[in-house]
Amino acid sequence: MDNAIILAGGQGKRMKADMPKPLFRILGEPMLEWVIGACEKAGISDICVVKGYKAEMIDEYLDGRYETVLQAERLGTGHAVMQAVSFLKKNSGSDTLVLCGDAPFIDSQTINDALARHRADGNSVTVITAELEEPAGYGRIIRSANGISSIVEEKDATAEQKKIKEINSGAYWFRTDDLIDSLNSLTTDNAQGEYYLTDTIYILLGKGKKAGAFISQNPDVVLGVNDRKGLLRLNKTARENIIEKHLENGVEFTCTDGITIGRDVIIGEGTQILSGTVLSGKTVIGEGCVIGPDCIIENSTVGNDTKLNYVQCYDSKIENNVKIGPFVQIRPGSHIKSGAKIGDFVEIKNSVIGEETAVAHLTYVGDSDVGGCVNFGCGVVTVNYDGEKKSRCTIEDNAFIGCNTNLIAPVTVGKGAYTAAGSTITKDVPADALAIERGDTRTVEGYAARKLRNRKKK
Ligand code: UD1
Ligand code: CA
């Protein structure tokens, strides 16, 4: 089965942070994850990650999702692949993709198209290349009559070779067995004293095998990061590319200030995204919505024609025609059903809010199951935590929760029931009843006037 090796041993000294370079984030996700994502999307899930610098951080991040091998010292890209020989042997008879963990914009189309060329041409190795106006720093592709003859690193190149604009992206397809075979012949006889993976090209040619190049249509596949400025640049590129894609899909942006959209986010036609909005994770937004300004939506699903204004929403589901905001937090595990309205300074946590229900202002609904057409007055609190355990409240359809009600969970307010403003409800309220827990108002006649007189005397 086709498989991939991702080289992630590098440190990235110039990032000035103690972390393997592939773990630095683009739009909130490690570059390594972008590379893994491209493999998965291309149908390759048999992946081996070569770790080196701060290997334990790679382990912690991957959390056992993929096989890893340790490159104890960084002796070059060829040496990195040597560490994965047993992974390669397991995959004998197939083709192996080699990718850099710090070049996040490799895409599944490039991977698959390159493989098709690799197979059609009967190559032992196919290098994914790009043509750059400024090729400095990259390995240059030396072409031959029927393919390529070698890759020359910048530091080993002659002045003439440095003029070549076709460069090595650092991604390759190898016939697995030929890769295993060629690794044994690598030496450190070069300007950097490293085992260069790129030397496999002329080694394989020397064995009578074929080497070719696939020029990527996506020039971003070569983009990598060396320092913080580069990381910011790649974030900008990613951000712009993603917004471009959504524009093509019919999403509306009047400006893109502060808008960041994760690569897996799906947005329907005619939806407007306003400034300062950050959409991330597996978020799906329907059609005709207005999201923003300043919304943060993470791993959540939003239906059609919903308006979110200054909302933060995590791991939740919001249906159609819902209006939320401003200044609302929807915490994980919530489900806001169609037609609901949630107004300013409301927090909803791990709760269901039924259809057409209104929670207009200054309210906390946690661990609760709320039916349809319920009305919450201002300042309601579901008291879901007694200091030891959390309990749920149930509020049935058409109930009316008076202002400043405390509902001490577990408690149920039945269908159509009322709670009087200011009540602390500790017992279930039957359907259609009124629960009132409140001292009678006592009036002290003339109290204020007397007070005023006393003050004047002083
Ligand atoms: C490499 C290529 C160069 C290509 C460039 C594209 C070689 C010799 N050169 O150069 O032709 O144009 O990538 O970016 O391969 N790594 C390890 N262990 C090591 C060394 C590197 O895991 O011992 C990993 C790095 O983390 C990185 C990748 O391999 O993900 C590439 O390494 P890097 O040092 O950036 O290679 P370049 O010198 O840029
Ligand atoms: Ca590099």
Side-chain angles (χ1 to χ4, degrees):
M1 204 175 59
D2 298 334
N3 54 89
I5 294 177
I6 302 176
L7 307 184
Q11 172 180 5
K13 278 203 190 88
R14 282 187 282 158
M15 303 300 290
K16 302 201 173 149
D18 240 3
M19 193 158 87
K21 193 153 74 168
L23 291 187
F24 283 92
R25 290 167 189 269
I26 306 286
L27 304 188
E29 272 186 292
M31 293 192 276
L32 178 59
E33 192 61 49
W34 285 69
V35 177
I36 289 171
C39 290
E40 290 280 5
K41 206 168 162 204
I44 302 164
S45 49
D46 194 3
I47 296 172
C48 177
V49 176
V50 181
K51 59 195 177 180
Y53 183 73
K54 294 259 171 183
E56 66 284 359
M57 292 181 78
I58 301 269
D59 285 336
E60 196 189 338
Y61 177 74
L62 289 176
D63 195 24
R65 281 188 295 150
Y66 297 99
E67 192 170 332
T68 62
V69 290
L70 178 67
Q71 185 191 21
E73 17 168 27
R74 256 69 64 211
L75 302 179
T77 48
H79 183 256
V81 175
M82 287 176 197
Q83 312 312 306
V85 157
S86 53
F87 172 82
L88 290 170
K89 284 188 174 154
K90 222 170 46 189
N91 285 294
S92 172
S94 62
D95 289 292
T96 296
L97 173 69
V98 177
L99 297 172
C100 294
D102 58 0
F105 298 149
I106 184 73
D107 62 281
S108 56
Q109 172 109 40
T110 303
I111 289 172
N112 283 329
D113 291 354
L115 177 60
R117 173 71 55 79
H118 176 71
R119 293 219 171 113
D121 291 355
N123 291 339
S124 278
V125 54
T126 303
V127 185
I128 298 175
T129 68
E131 282 166 333
L132 297 187
E133 274 317 302
E134 290 175 29
Y138 291 98
R140 306 301 203 283
I141 305 297
I142 312 295
R143 287 269 173 182
S144 66
N146 52 355
I148 66 175
S149 62
S150 65
I151 298 175
V152 182
E153 292 305 295
E154 172 93 15
K155 289 191 174 123
D156 302 289
T158 63
E160 223 25 57
Q161 289 169 330
K162 282 185 184 157
K163 289 183 193 155
I164 296 171
K165 293 206 153 78
E166 187 181 5
I167 60 100
N168 170 20
S169 71
Y172 323 74
W173 273 108
F174 285 94
R175 214 176 270 162
T176 309
D177 299 294
D178 291 341
L179 175 58
I180 297 169
D181 204 30
S182 63
L183 289 173
N184 297 320
S185 309
L186 292 181
T187 68
T188 55
D189 185 13
N190 53 57
Q192 301 185 80
E194 289 183 355
Y195 294 98
Y196 288 171
L197 181 61
T198 45
D199 286 350
T200 53
I201 311 283
Y202 75 76
I203 291 167
L204 288 170
L205 288 168
K207 295 179 184 228
K209 309 276 183 177
K210 278 186 76 180
F214 174 83
I215 305 180
S216 170
Q217 294 308 300
N218 169 11
D220 291 348
V221 297
V222 306
L223 295 180
V225 168
N226 289 316
D227 53 19
R228 295 282 177 174
K229 279 188 198 165
L231 190 65
L232 179 60
R233 247 193 324 271
L234 258 58
N235 268 290
K236 185 166 182 279
T237 303
R239 224 162 64 81
E240 288 172 356
N241 287 347
I242 288 171
I243 288 175
E244 192 85 2
K245 184 189 82 185
H246 290 295
L247 285 168
E248 281 162 16
N249 291 345
V251 178
E252 188 173 331
F253 300 84
T254 42
C255 78
T256 60
D257 295 347
I259 295 178
T260 300
I261 302 175
R263 68 196 163 104
D264 294 330
V265 172
I266 297 168
I267 308 177
E269 282 174 25
T271 284
Q272 256 186 69
I273 308 293
L274 304 181
S275 63
T277 291
V278 177
L279 307 175
S280 63
K282 306 275 175 221
T283 290
V284 179
I285 307 230
E287 299 179 357
C289 296
V290 180
I291 311 294
D294 293 314
C295 288
I296 296 178
I297 316 287
E298 205 174 278
N299 290 321
S300 295
T301 305
V302 177
N304 300 326
D305 304 306
T306 282
K307 292 190 167 65
L308 307 182
N309 169 17
Y310 286 93
V311 173
Q312 298 204 357
C313 175
Y314 305 93
D315 302 293
S316 289
K317 181 173 176 187
I318 300 172
E319 294 186 1
N320 305 326
N321 277 302
V322 171
K323 215 174 150 201
I324 307 184
F327 317 118
V328 170
Q329 177 165 220
I330 310 289
R331 291 170 53 199
S334 297
H335 180 176
I336 317 295
K337 295 195 179 170
S338 291
K341 283 195 179 56
I342 297 173
D344 48 272
F345 306 106
V346 170
E347 175 175 330
I348 310 280
K349 181 217 132 191
N350 190 28
S351 294
V352 178
I353 304 293
E355 289 183 17
E356 308 284 337
T357 283
V359 191
H361 15 233
L362 297 161
T363 288
Y364 172 63
V365 181
D367 301 317
S368 297
D369 301 295
V370 180
C373 296
V374 170
N375 186 77
F376 283 76
C378 182
V380 173
V381 175
T382 54
V383 182
N384 59 327
Y385 184 51
D386 64 4
E388 275 173 35
K389 62 178 191 311
K390 301 214 164 117
S391 307
R392 294 191 78 85
C393 288
T394 303
I395 299 164
E396 296 179 352
D397 295 348
N398 302 309
F400 184 101
I401 312 299
C403 288
N404 228 8
T405 296
N406 297 311
L407 298 170
I408 312 293
V411 75
T412 296
V413 178
K415 273 191 182 160
Y418 276 54
T419 69
S423 298
T424 293
I425 306 296
T426 53
K427 292 191 188 104
D428 290 355
V429 183
D432 302 316
L434 164 71
I436 177 163
E437 184 271 349
R438 195 200 272 166
D440 278 344
T441 303
R442 190 166 70 91
T443 309
V444 182
E445 294 291 348
Y447 173 89
R450 277 199 302 280
K451 222 175 166 136
L452 185 64
R453 270 200 305 277
N454 287 342
R455 228 183 300 144
K456 278 184 181 160
K457 266 187 225 160
K458 275 188 205 153

